[in-house]
Amino acid sequence: MFELMRSIRIDVANGRATAEAFVPADHPLFADHFPVSRVLPGSLILELGAQVSGPLAEEFARSALGVERLAILGMVRDGRFLHPVYLPATLALNAEISRSQPSAINTTVTATVDGERVMQAELVMMMIESSGEWAEAIDDRNARLARWQEAS
């Protein structure tokens, strides 16, 4: 689902990131999901939030904590879906560091559509050390992140 993200902007000094994602109604993933009225699944909104929180947490860990770690979604705390998101939709995502330590960084994430908040959650990003066997996947992720940042 990485192709849904259009742009990301990371402000590591203030512990914040913003991003934009576009979800088309005709995406093959939604072929059998609410076929009459296409609704974006909440799990995908959380995934988009994690795609913003992960790079923010990694850059924050590097600059503020002095550790080089990868971020993976470890837990969703107090996730709330406030309104359904009908497709197609453009989501504005905001993430802010709320707590940090070398092993886990918490972010408060919100998603809005046309200025209306549709989701809010606290995501716990587990900060793990990378392994050499992940090199290709990390390179792909870094290239994707660079494209998102160029689009900002």
Side-chain angles (χ1 to χ4, degrees):
M1 298 312 317
F2 296 113
E3 73 273 10
L4 302 178
M5 194 67 69
R6 285 186 167 172
S7 65
I8 187 169
R9 179 167 295 161
I10 299 171
D11 177 3
V12 73
N14 291 305
R16 295 184 179 140
T18 58
E20 181 179 282
F22 176 73
V23 184
D26 63 350
H27 192 285
L29 178 68
F30 307 115
D32 297 323
H33 194 76
F34 301 108
V36 175
S37 180
R38 305 279 172 117
V39 176
L40 183 61
S43 58
L44 184 54
I45 301 172
L46 286 171
E47 170 60 28
L48 292 169
Q51 290 180 22
V52 177
S53 294
L56 170 61
E58 290 171 1
E59 288 195 28
F60 188 84
R62 189 178 309 104
S63 67
L65 304 177
V67 294
E68 188 75 33
R69 303 268 168 88
L70 297 175
I72 60 170
L73 179 60
M75 183 186 308
V76 177
R77 301 178 110 171
D78 196 27
R80 298 174 192 222
F81 301 97
L82 307 169
H83 298 283
V85 176
Y86 297 101
L87 300 177
T90 299
L91 289 90
L93 300 141
N94 294 290
E96 185 172 344
I97 303 286
S98 57
R99 182 175 175 218
S100 65
Q101 54 191 23
S103 62
I105 294 179
N106 295 18
T107 61
T108 301
V109 179
T110 60
T112 60
V113 174
D114 295 327
E116 180 176 43
R117 187 176 289 192
V118 296
M119 188 274 302
Q120 62 189 37
E122 181 181 0
L123 303 183
V124 180
M125 305 305 294
M126 303 307 297
M127 305 307 292
I128 61 172
E129 293 184 23
S130 69
S131 169
E133 61 196 29
W134 301 345
E136 186 177 342
I138 292 169
D139 289 344
D140 288 346
R141 188 211 62 125
N142 290 341
R144 192 170 43 249
L145 182 58
R147 284 193 308 274
W148 296 345
Q149 288 177 318
E150 286 174 15
S152 288

